Amino acid sequence: MLSAIADVIRAIGGAIATVVTLPFRAVGRLFGGAADSAHGRH
């Protein structure tokens, strides 16, 4: 019983971590692309 609850909590934690980190990755990619183009790759 406890192991099943732990699995559910672990799955929820993983989902929350994914949802939280996705926007930061998207922003990082945006700023990374902007920095790359600003460094004179035109």
Side-chain angles (χ1 to χ4, degrees):
M1 184 66 188
L2 280 177
S3 64
I5 294 173
D7 285 343
V8 171
I9 292 174
R10 204 172 297 128
I12 293 172
I16 291 173
T18 301
V19 171
V20 168
T21 55
L22 271 176
F24 287 111
R25 271 187 221 153
V27 170
R29 197 171 298 146
L30 278 175
F31 279 117
D36 285 345
S37 62
H39 281 299
R41 265 205 302 158
H42 300 280

